[in-house]
Amino acid sequence: MDFELIAVRTGTREVVLDLTSRCEEFVSGRGDGLLHVFVPHATAGVAILETGAGSDTDLLRVLEELLPRDFAWRHRHGTPGHGRDHVLPAIIPPYATVPVLGGQLTLGTWQSICLVDTNVDNPERQVRLSFLAG
């Protein structure tokens, strides 16, 4: 299995960050197989969704409603409400797998591979891209 670890800066606000172009570069010319995207963090996830048409903003709004910062989280270190960031990967898993054909991702027309990060305390992230040849 071939892999690459990429560094991503998410900043100090909640973000849905499109990783699709980085993933496309990684699989380019590799033939058929599977791309596995994994974030080795307890407070981030990977989602496949449409971006740029408001879905990314909608996702962050829904997460705020599902996991409100002002909830009585038992996990209390960091920024107020940081406990929600540790629950996030139970809703948005820290991984996604996408088929690759002829060195190209087989995403649908409007699908993008995105890092979802609500943890404003950790602006530096790593993403592991792995290619399993078919």
Side-chain angles (χ1 to χ4, degrees), residues 16-22 51 112-115:
V16 175
L17 184 66
D18 192 341
L19 302 172
T20 309
S21 62
R22 301 280 299 266
T51 59
S112 296
I113 302 168
C114 299
L115 171 67

Side-chain angles (χ1 to χ4, degrees), residues 34-94:
L34 294 172
L35 169 69
H36 187 74
V37 182
F38 176 72
V39 292
H41 299 283
T43 58
V46 176
I48 297 178
L49 75 153
E50 179 179 7
T51 59
S55 297
D56 37 359
T57 303
D58 289 343
L59 176 59
L60 292 175
R61 265 192 29 231
V62 166
L63 288 173
E64 182 59 39
E65 288 184 28
L66 287 173
L67 305 169
R69 287 209 176 270
D70 62 356
F71 183 77
W73 299 103
R74 289 180 180 258
H75 187 109
R76 295 178 193 254
H77 76 83
T79 301
H82 177 63
R84 78 184 286 255
D85 303 326
H86 284 275
V87 175
L88 174 81
I91 295 171
I92 299 176

Side-chain angles (χ1 to χ4, degrees), residues 89-103:
I91 295 171
I92 299 176
Y95 60 86
T97 302
V98 178
V100 177
L101 294 175

Side-chain angles (χ1 to χ4, degrees), residues 5 9-10 48 53-54 63 69 99 120 124 127:
L5 196 60
R9 180 157 181 77
T10 56
I48 297 178
L63 288 173
R69 287 209 176 270
V120 298
E124 304 291 334
V127 179

